[in-house]
Amino acid sequence: MNWVIGKKQKRRNRIKAQFGKNPMELEAWESLEKRMREIRMYEELVVQDVKKEEWQSAGSVDTVTWNDLEMDRVFARINHTRTYMGEQILYHRLHNMQTRQSCEDMEKRISFFSRRESIRTEIEEKLMRIGKQKESCYLPFFLTEEINPLVIPGAILYFLQGLLAFCLIGAILLRSNLWATGFLVVAVVNLLIYLHTKCKYEGNLFMVSSLKELFDFCNWIVKKLEPDRPEILHALEKTQKLSHRMLRWQTRKYQSISGDVTGILWDYIAGITLHDVVAFYRIQKTLRACKKETMQLYTFAGEIDMEIAIASFRKSLPQWCCPSLQSDGAISVEEISHPLMADAIPNDFVLKKGVVLTGANASGKSTFMKAVSINVILAQTINTCVAKNMKMPAIQVMTSMALRDDVLQGESYYMREIKYLKRMLDELKTGEPMLFVIDEILKGTNTRERLAASNAILSYMVQKQGFLLIATHDLELALQIADKVWMMDKENGVTIGTPEDLSLNGTLSNFFSRKGIMFDQNTGLFKINNEYSVKMHLEGHGQKYAMVRKALLRNGILAGREIESD
């Protein structure tokens, strides 16, 4: 008894110690990545049930944006869940913006779990009994799709069971070889039916067995916390009969996988008597009548697991806040950070309409844009921001960042980017406020077409409802379309101003003076600042004159009509 108590206490101490830790330190990304296919199943199922147009308008994060922002890794950073349904519900939640009321209700439960350590630990201990078995991840599909009956009707199964018993009684009482032969024939037929059914439905056989742990947890949590959820009480009442049948089925499952002589013997007896096949038939029949209620309990348990994970995520952060969602206005943030960066340098910013970021390579432009985008998503999905303070309206996020060509689909880099930008332009037609984040727009084409097309696209976007955050090395483009330019540099940090102010106060000239580029304040254009060792007077005019000057300058000779020869 003392050994059992000691083991239980160790488990609770381990649960307490893991709360508030980075989940990526407890489970390597490579290990979680192998399970991502199963984790995505619930989200894929929901998307299948809703038309794509309705789904996007409901406020979801599309696939391009999800991949651009590496949201699988963000999910891994938050994933402190203990069950397969908790993982699936969390993954689904990160894809979908929530209403203000939904966030407020969730916040009450998260705060409760954060304060009440003893109850939270007890709940996590119960959730660990459900676990993360791979076959259980397919349960949402099994519950939402039409449950197909067994190939052999139930009436025939019952008939074969009765015939087996009748032949056995006849063989014993009459001591007849005929009855004994009949018994053997029926037993072989039943065994073949059992093996066929087990081979075809084995995944389902073990999958539905995990429902018993789900029902037990929901019954326990309702008695423990008494939540004001009448639909959950109704679902538990509706699934009570199924829960009782699951108890016998669960016992049978552990016998079949034990591997000992008793388990193997019982497996053959169950096959000959069709015990498991008939039991599964009855469970299927009962489950058809309460699929909706079972799915409600699945979601209920998953949300509790998810909310504890969010509480743990918050505790693991050096700084976090709940967002202040407003009906309109700017995106205003103090000390925002990227959730995946342990040593991130916080930044403050206010985004009123459109901002262009520019600067040297590896100065942090893309990381900053990802930090903003991810926090806007987290604010509206799990009511959490990795920042000191964040105010923003309810907006959707769309990005075009991690682009590459697709040889198999025959799409060049340029064509793929055009498709990504078109989806943004199509989204503008809905009239919903958007945050568009674009990294190096149209860099897959020549300079002239890039500037012309970029200017047209971005000017159109700026006129619509929402926000625009762009990173580019095309300073001419930035100066033409941006109301604010952010110049990022490792040495000088971030310099913010209007294009006109940055030009007149010499910031642009100073910023590029050390990079071999010169800003001409008279023309507002950038020029390459070539070094030269010789000066030469050159007469002429027109195109040939200009081309000769450039050729000479490339070779270290500064030539021109106003230049005196050395």
Side-chain angles (χ1 to χ4, degrees):
M1 180 62 71
N2 292 334
W3 177 79
V4 174
I5 295 174
K7 186 177 180 180
K8 185 175 182 180
Q9 187 60 44
K10 285 183 179 179
R11 183 167 61 247
R12 290 197 169 188
N13 291 338
R14 185 172 67 254
I15 291 172
K16 290 179 181 179
Q18 290 176 350
F19 185 80
K21 301 295 183 183
N22 184 347
M24 298 182 79
E25 297 175 358
L26 304 175
E27 180 182 13
W29 164 247
E30 291 76 16
S31 174
L32 180 63
E33 193 175 21
K34 294 177 181 178
R35 297 193 293 110
M36 288 306 297
R37 180 175 175 272
E38 286 75 29
I39 293 172
R40 294 187 185 104
M41 286 183 175
Y42 182 87
E43 166 66 14
E44 292 171 353
L45 176 66
V46 175
V47 173
Q48 286 178 4
D49 289 345
V50 182
K51 291 181 179 179
K52 184 176 181 181
E53 295 80 7
E54 297 175 357
W55 188 242
Q56 293 297 331
S57 63
S60 66
V61 181
D62 69 358
T63 304
V64 174
T65 302
W66 184 272
N67 293 334
D68 281 350
L69 301 178
E70 299 179 283
M71 287 298 292
D72 276 354
R73 290 182 179 268
V74 176
F75 161 79
R77 176 65 179 83
I78 305 171
N79 185 29
H80 176 77
T81 57
R82 303 291 187 178
T83 66
Y84 60 90
M85 71 268 294
E87 286 187 317
Q88 291 183 333
I89 296 297
L90 173 61
Y91 189 84
H92 170 66
R93 178 62 61 90
L94 290 174
H95 274 82
N96 301 279
M97 312 300 184
Q98 303 297 303
T99 63
R100 183 177 299 182
Q101 185 60 50
S102 176
C103 286
E104 290 175 358
D105 293 341
M106 179 179 63
E107 186 58 36
K108 293 176 183 177
R109 297 189 292 271
I110 295 174
S111 299
F112 174 82
F113 293 134
S114 298
R115 296 191 311 268
R116 305 290 295 274
E117 182 185 43
S118 59
I119 293 178
R120 184 190 69 234
T121 303
E122 193 175 1
I123 292 173
E124 286 194 74
E125 191 175 12
K126 296 286 185 181
L127 288 169
M128 288 177 72
R129 296 181 183 178
I130 299 176
K132 298 180 178 180
Q133 294 84 4
K134 181 177 180 179
E135 61 271 8
S136 300
C137 295
Y138 296 84
L139 197 56
F141 280 100
F142 185 75
L143 292 175
T144 53
E145 293 181 346
E146 182 63 30
I147 298 177
N148 298 321
L150 298 177
V151 177
I152 301 175
I156 295 179
L157 296 176
Y158 290 132
F159 172 76
L160 290 172
Q161 278 188 320
L163 183 60
L164 182 73
F166 190 70
C167 290
L168 179 61
I169 293 172
I172 294 173
L173 296 180
L174 302 178
R175 298 181 181 277
S176 170
N177 292 333
L178 182 62
W179 286 102
T181 302
F183 172 79
L184 291 175
V185 171
V186 176
V188 170
V189 171
N190 288 356
L191 187 60
L192 291 175
I193 292 174
Y194 168 71
L195 293 175
H196 171 76
T197 304
K198 184 178 181 181
C199 180
K200 187 173 183 179
Y201 297 98
E202 188 169 18
N204 292 350
L205 294 174
F206 284 93
M207 188 194 312
V208 297
S209 65
S210 63
L211 286 174
K212 183 64 175 93
E213 288 97 342
L214 171 63
F215 295 146
D216 288 345
F217 172 78
C218 291
N219 275 296
W220 176 83
I221 199 73
V222 165
K223 293 177 182 177
K224 186 75 174 179
L225 301 181
E226 298 182 356
D228 185 20
R229 301 284 296 273
E231 74 279 8
I232 299 302
L233 296 176
H234 171 72
L236 286 171
E237 183 180 352
K238 190 78 181 288
T239 56
Q240 190 173 13
K241 182 178 179 181
L242 180 61
S243 181
H244 290 323
R245 288 189 168 171
M246 284 296 176
L247 178 61
R248 296 189 292 271
W249 181 260
Q250 189 182 43
T251 303
R252 170 72 190 95
K253 184 192 81 168
Y254 290 130
Q255 288 177 336
S256 66
I257 64 176
S258 62
D260 57 12
V261 177
T262 304
I264 296 173
L265 179 62
W266 176 249
D267 202 38
Y268 279 103
I269 294 174
I272 292 171
T273 61
L274 294 178
H275 175 275
D276 283 4
V277 179
V278 171
F280 184 62
Y281 169 77
R282 289 174 177 172
I283 289 173
Q284 271 196 328
K285 187 176 180 181
T286 308
L287 190 56
R288 285 195 199 100
C290 57
K291 285 197 303 180
K292 179 182 176 182
E293 290 75 15
T294 304
M295 199 63 198
Q296 284 179 327
L297 297 178
Y298 184 96
T299 305
F300 173 67
E303 286 177 347
I304 291 175
D305 197 9
M306 173 194 70
E307 287 156 1
I308 292 176
I310 296 171
S312 177
F313 171 62
R314 291 177 174 181
K315 187 178 179 181
S316 71
L317 296 170
Q319 178 173 260
W320 67 273
C321 70
C322 290
S324 175
L325 295 177
Q326 305 167 341
S327 57
D328 53 19
I331 302 176
S332 177
V333 182
E334 295 181 42
E335 298 183 16
I336 191 172
S337 300
H338 195 296
L340 297 181
M341 296 186 66
D343 301 322
I345 299 175
N347 289 283
D348 302 345
F349 81 96
V350 177
L351 181 58
K352 295 181 178 179
K353 190 64 180 178
V355 164
V356 175
L357 290 100
T358 188
N361 291 327
S363 59
K365 300 187 297 297
S366 297
T367 302
F368 174 77
M369 292 197 300
K370 288 181 179 180
V372 173
S373 304
I374 291 171
N375 275 282
V376 169
I377 292 173
L378 296 184
Q380 298 174 93
T381 54
I382 62 173
N383 203 41
T384 305
C385 299
V386 188
K388 182 179 180 180
N389 183 40
M390 186 165 185
K391 298 178 181 179
M392 54 173 281
I395 52 175
Q396 294 185 52
V397 180
M398 270 193 170
T399 65
S400 177
M401 300 180 72
L403 291 167
R404 55 185 178 182
D405 55 6
D406 190 332
V407 177
L408 296 178
Q409 296 293 330
E411 289 183 349
S412 66
Y413 183 99
Y414 176 74
M415 288 304 300
R416 174 149 287 201
E417 186 173 13
I418 289 296
K419 287 185 177 181
Y420 284 10
L421 292 174
K422 183 180 182 301
R423 93 187 199 283
M424 291 181 170
L425 296 175
D426 291 341
E427 196 65 29
L428 285 173
K429 298 176 183 178
T430 65
E432 296 293 327
M434 302 290 302
L435 168 61
F436 292 125
V437 181
I438 305 173
D439 192 6
E440 293 297 340
I441 184 169
L442 296 177
K443 69 177 182 179
T445 186
N446 62 73
T447 302
R448 181 178 178 181
E449 291 182 358
R450 178 173 68 250
L451 291 175
S454 300
N455 190 19
I457 293 171
L458 298 179
S459 297
Y460 176 77
M461 286 182 170
V462 168
Q463 296 172 10
K464 301 296 181 179
Q465 186 177 9
F467 306 91
L468 193 59
L469 185 57
I470 306 166
T472 182
H473 289 98
D474 287 330
L475 267 298
E476 294 181 33
L477 176 64
L479 298 178
Q480 289 179 42
I481 67 165
D483 55 358
K484 283 285 182 71
V485 176
W486 292 33
M487 307 191 71
M488 303 186 71
D489 185 84
K490 287 185 177 181
E491 296 179 11
N492 301 320
V494 180
T495 304
I496 303 174
T498 64
E500 294 76 19
D501 290 340
L502 294 175
S503 174
L504 295 175
N505 65 20
T507 300
L508 290 173
S509 299
N510 296 332
F511 190 85
F512 287 95
S513 61
R514 61 190 181 281
K515 298 177 174 62
I517 299 175
M518 180 179 67
F519 180 73
D520 189 339
Q521 291 185 341
N522 296 322
T523 63
L525 300 176
F526 290 88
K527 297 179 180 179
I528 297 176
N529 189 19
N530 297 92
E531 295 183 358
Y532 59 90
S533 57
V534 178
K535 292 182 179 180
M536 185 180 73
H537 181 76
L538 178 68
E539 292 289 343
H541 61 276
Q543 185 179 16
K544 291 182 178 180
Y545 170 77
M547 297 305 293
V548 170
R549 286 191 66 196
K550 288 182 179 180
L552 291 171
L553 188 58
R554 285 198 306 271
N555 289 276
I557 303 173
L558 180 63
R561 288 186 295 268
E562 71 284 359
I563 304 295
E564 293 184 4
S565 300
D566 290 340

